[in-house]
Amino acid sequence: MKLIISEMVGLSIGEKHFIQGGIAQDIRSDGRKRLTPRPINVKTGVISQANGSARVRMGATDVIASVKAELGRPTALQPDKGKVFINVDCSPTAAPMFEGRGGEELSAELSVALRHCLLGGKSGSGLSSLLAIVSQWNVFESNCRVKIWVPLFVSGAGIELSSLVVVEGKICWDLYIDGLVVSSDGNLLDALGAAIKAALSNTGIPRVNVAAGASGDEQPEVDVSDEEFLQFDTSKVPVIVTLTKVGKHYIVDATSEEESQMSSAVSISVNRQGHICGLTKRGGAGLDPSIILDMVSVAKTVSEQLINTLDSQIAAAEAGEDES
Amino acid sequence: MEYVSPEGLRLDGRRPMEMRQIRGEIGVVDKADGSAVFEMGNTKVIAAVYGPREVPNRSQQMNDRALVRCEYTMANFSTGDRMRKPKGDRRSTEISLVIRQTMEACIMTHLMPRTQIDIFVQVLQADGGKSRCLIAAVGTRSACINAATLALSDAGIPMRDLVTSCSAGYLNSTPLLDLNYVEDSAGGADVTLGIMPKLDKVTLLQMDAKLPLDIFENVMQLAIEGCKAVATYIRQVLLENTKQLEYRRGTHGQSPAYSAFKVLFSAARRFIAVLMKFDGGYIMETVFDEGSRLKIKHIQSSIPNQRAVFRF
């Protein structure tokens, strides 16, 4: 994904030096320090047809996430769990290269990364599989990308899947989480993670009354309330912090110019308790294992600030929405 | 079904000749050369314009005029029921084509030979209640064209006139302006019209269902009035935007006064950026390169401690 973006940015040698030199001296092109994120702006309830939605802007990066709930059937393997689908689209408005099928590779990569960061791996289904290490080796085309997912906690760390069940084995809510990249200026994964968190806290799932008396294989009749809504507890939903390595240092919340100069990036999803819910490394160059551990601890501190700003922004957005 | 009550009110409470609420905003996608969001009632559309720029696909380059391209996409969440989306399906291809042809008619393509202008239209929300609606896309095309016009003007692309679009229909023997989803799916006639209001020329005209000629004239006249109203509004939005720009550049009233200079950064003695404090806010920027002064390229926003972004 970064490779495509770097082609698009088109920097002169002077600009490249300027960006790299700035990062080395701890003052970046927009005046930020290496570990300072851009101001984040959250607006909730932007899509009226969805059960929940949010728009997150970080600098020129602009993403929308929406949550739609539909009644479905739980899978035979997990009759006591609802289903969550995460899908990201890159709108061509963000960059002409996303035209037609151009954005599909990036969309797929972002969707997979978000799925892992927010939903956890498939293997941990319901087990409190502490330290279950799942590794996925994905080789795409010529550039080798390695993804290592380390779900340290129960799978579905972010969203409590069992709360989505209406009638066990028969009816559950399917949550369709759609992300849309409207404008792209780096750090899409973090922005989408934040938008999904905000959208989930904006989501109201209608209360469902099940008619008694359905027996056996019959599908029970349900009555979906359009007045009563249940809210999600989103305090457990992790945020994603991407650390981008440029030269000898790493930075948070890179712009697309900075991303074009990166050697590698590590995205770490951390929840409020400071637990790491997922981790992925991308980019060509190798990383020293000790640096990765270092990055993880930095991500933990950065995520605390991010969660706090995000929570206050979400609260402010919700309050603003109620007034209007 | 009764679409117009005996009191002369429509299902959503409008009068027959009343439009849904419209809202336009410029500059919503920072990375694009021009962008706008346009809302008509529940329909919400973002348009982004890239260009005029080099034609990436040389075989499409035209030596006497610019190549105009358009892509229409609907977000998964834009309709009542979630769409399992077929990307590049026929309907969106058709709407892309309609928008492209309409906009091409007003862009002065001969001024920009060997270039390409891309118009990307993204539907965020389509009016369409709670049903799985394919018709919803039809109702969005007016909003798409209006958004595209705003985005093209934001990008500073020379145009003959602002194209605006509006629909009108005929139900319960009453001509109705700007059909909403319910009225649109009622099966009556639906005229979508795009005009260049100053030149008084029609660039888009589509109608389904049959209509007697004299009634068609009435309905079309109504649609023309609608387009003109949209044009007035779009002009207001543009004017307001220009005022804002003027104000931000400090050319509004008086000339800017630099009150402080600050040398901020010098990497390997190659560049020096100077931060200028200006009317309370910080703006940028002057760049020096080993003695020779480079031009001031652009002015950054008023975020304190902002460093320069250079374009050589």
Side-chain angles (χ1 to χ4, degrees):
Chain A
M1 128 190 173
K2 305 292 158 146
L3 290 174
I4 316 169
I5 288 175
S6 60
E7 277 164 30
M8 183 191 77
V9 172
L11 296 172
S12 71
I13 294 173
E15 281 173 302
K16 285 179 187 167
H17 279 296
F18 187 71
I19 289 169
Q20 287 163 1
I23 288 170
Q25 295 192 13
D26 203 11
I27 176 163
R28 289 152 70 179
S29 314
D30 42 15
R32 285 186 286 156
K33 285 175 175 291
R34 280 195 290 265
L35 297 181
T36 319
R38 286 174 282 190
I40 185 166
N41 182 356
V42 181
K43 216 173 147 191
T44 53
V46 287
I47 307 293
S48 54
Q49 285 116 326
N51 293 78
S53 60
R55 179 175 189 175
V56 167
R57 309 182 77 156
M58 300 161 102
T61 295
D62 190 343
V63 297
I64 295 177
S66 91
V67 180
K68 272 195 181 172
E70 284 173 19
L71 283 174
R73 252 190 118 105
T75 53
L77 282 176
Q78 297 180 321
D80 57 339
K81 287 206 160 68
K83 290 173 279 178
V84 179
F85 304 88
I86 299 183
N87 185 48
V88 177
D89 257 324
C90 295
S91 165
T93 54
M97 68 182 189
F98 296 150
E99 191 188 350
R101 302 197 171 273
E104 269 179 19
E105 200 190 329
L106 179 61
S107 306
E109 193 173 342
L110 288 170
S111 317
V112 170
L114 283 169
R115 239 169 264 157
H116 279 95
C117 285
L118 301 177
L119 304 181
K122 281 198 185 81
S123 71
S125 53
L127 308 168
S128 43
S129 51
L130 280 164
L131 280 174
I133 297 177
V134 188
S135 32
Q136 283 193 355
W137 300 77
N138 284 11
V139 184
F140 282 149
E141 292 149 33
S142 57
N143 51 333
C144 176
R145 289 172 211 189
V146 181
K147 297 179 187 171
I148 305 170
W149 305 106
V150 193
L152 278 177
F153 225 64
V154 195
S155 101
I159 301 160
E160 194 58 61
L161 295 178
S162 48
S163 67
L164 295 173
V165 170
V166 179
V167 179
E168 192 170 319
K170 293 203 175 129
I171 306 171
C172 69
W173 284 108
D174 292 348
L175 282 194
Y176 291 93
I177 302 180
D178 285 298
L180 181 74
V181 178
V182 176
S183 175
S184 136
D185 189 17
N187 209 18
L188 291 176
L189 197 59
D190 297 16
L192 283 164
I196 290 176
K197 192 175 158 78
L200 281 171
S201 44
N202 178 242
T203 300
I205 303 282
R207 185 184 288 282
V208 180
N209 296 316
V210 183
S215 61
D217 294 335
E218 259 177 74
Q219 198 70 357
E221 275 185 31
V222 291
D223 174 37
V224 180
S225 157
D226 44 9
E227 281 164 10
E228 276 185 282
F229 292 94
L230 300 173
Q231 289 277 324
F232 266 120
D233 175 24
T234 51
S235 58
K236 281 186 198 154
V237 178
V239 292
I240 304 169
V241 175
T242 303
L243 294 168
T244 310
K245 193 156 181 274
V246 180
K248 286 182 181 162
H249 304 273
Y250 45 81
I251 53 174
V252 294
D253 197 7
T255 62
S256 53
E257 274 92 3
E258 287 163 340
E259 275 182 355
S260 71
Q261 297 308 304
M262 76 165 200
S263 55
S264 52
V266 177
S267 299
I268 302 152
S269 80
V270 190
N271 65 8
R272 183 176 275 289
Q273 284 84 41
H275 293 143
I276 293 158
C277 306
L279 190 139
T280 166
K281 179 209 168 283
R282 32 175 211 272
L287 270 181
D288 202 87
S290 65
I291 292 188
I292 298 189
L293 293 178
D294 200 26
M295 282 175 152
V296 170
S297 64
V298 168
K300 233 175 112 171
T301 25
V302 173
S303 70
E304 267 172 42
Q305 299 163 13
L306 182 60
I307 290 177
N308 287 338
T309 30
L310 200 58
D311 280 350
S312 60
Q313 281 277 341
I314 292 171
E318 293 277 316
E321 201 195 344
D322 287 345
E323 275 168 31
S324 60
Chain B
M1 194 172 162
E2 194 178 59
Y3 292 96
V4 185
S5 69
E7 293 82 39
L9 290 176
R10 287 151 75 175
L11 292 174
D12 50 7
R14 288 182 290 159
R15 302 255 165 212
M17 298 195 186
E18 195 177 326
M19 263 202 294
R20 288 173 291 176
Q21 193 167 22
I22 53 175
R23 193 183 76 89
E25 194 186 329
I26 278 180
V28 287
V29 182
D30 298 351
K31 284 261 150 173
D33 294 312
S35 63
V37 60
F38 200 87
E39 289 172 36
M40 291 177 94
N42 284 327
T43 306
K44 188 172 182 182
V45 177
I46 285 187
V49 169
Y50 289 85
R53 59 190 185 118
E54 198 181 338
V55 187
N57 184 358
R58 275 293 166 86
S59 61
Q60 292 182 321
Q61 181 173 304
M62 284 183 288
N63 287 324
D64 56 341
R65 59 199 173 94
L67 172 70
V68 179
R69 300 178 71 226
C70 177
E71 187 173 304
Y72 167 96
T73 40
M74 277 180 96
N76 274 337
F77 47 73
S78 60
T79 47
D81 251 5
R82 188 175 174 280
M83 276 205 305
R84 313 267 176 321
K85 81 161 177 192
K87 196 163 191 177
D89 59 339
R90 277 194 188 192
R91 203 184 59 248
S92 47
T93 315
E94 189 253 17
I95 298 182
S96 302
L97 188 73
V98 166
I99 301 171
R100 201 199 81 207
Q101 287 172 344
T102 313
M103 300 326 287
E104 207 171 17
C106 80
I107 297 173
M108 301 171 94
T109 48
H110 62 281
L111 295 179
M112 299 159 283
R114 292 180 291 279
T115 60
Q116 173 175 328
I117 298 166
D118 286 300
I119 305 167
F120 297 117
V121 184
Q122 170 83 52
V123 178
L124 293 183
Q125 213 169 289
D127 188 4
K130 268 285 173 192
S131 58
R132 190 183 298 270
C133 46
L134 297 177
I135 303 175
V138 178
T140 57
R141 65 186 65 179
S142 294
C144 289
I145 288 170
N146 295 333
T149 303
L150 266 177
L152 281 169
S153 348
D154 185 33
I157 287 170
M159 292 192 283
R160 293 185 176 85
D161 195 357
L162 299 168
V163 189
T164 55
S165 172
C166 192
S167 66
Y170 189 73
L171 284 169
N172 295 145
S173 342
T174 324
L176 301 175
L177 183 64
D178 192 22
L179 303 184
N180 67 17
Y181 169 70
V182 187
E183 292 162 343
D184 206 12
S185 36
D190 168 27
V191 180
T192 304
L193 184 75
I195 61 161
M196 298 199 272
K198 279 269 162 78
L199 300 175
D200 234 353
K201 281 194 174 140
V202 173
T203 57
L204 164 73
L205 180 58
Q206 289 183 320
M207 186 182 77
D208 40 29
K210 59 184 176 190
L211 214 56
L213 195 60
D214 51 333
I215 292 174
F216 171 74
E217 266 173 42
N218 282 338
V219 173
M220 187 161 150
Q221 194 53 45
L222 188 62
I224 290 178
E225 294 303 321
C227 290
K228 286 191 172 158
V230 174
T232 320
Y233 176 73
I234 283 183
R235 259 173 227 288
Q236 262 175 26
V237 173
L238 287 171
L239 207 64
E240 187 55 40
N241 183 60
T242 315
K243 269 187 198 155
Q244 288 282 329
L245 282 178
E246 212 177 22
Y247 188 74
R248 262 183 255 165
R249 281 172 60 182
T251 47
H252 191 77
Q254 61 191 39
S255 59
Y258 299 108
S259 56
F261 289 77
K262 194 169 157 195
V263 177
L264 252 189
F265 181 68
S266 129
R269 293 187 175 275
R270 292 194 56 183
F271 310 105
I272 300 170
V274 179
L275 186 83
M276 293 176 177
K277 201 176 170 191
F278 157 69
D279 285 351
Y282 287 91
I283 59 162
M284 258 325 294
E285 93 232 17
T286 324
V287 186
F288 302 91
D289 182 5
E290 293 181 66
S292 61
R293 189 174 159 181
L294 296 168
K295 265 187 177 171
I296 293 180
K297 282 294 182 182
H298 60 255
I299 293 172
Q300 278 278 319
S301 71
S302 58
I303 300 166
N305 289 327
Q306 193 155 34
R307 231 174 34 151
V309 175
F310 306 112
R311 292 271 171 232
F312 293 97

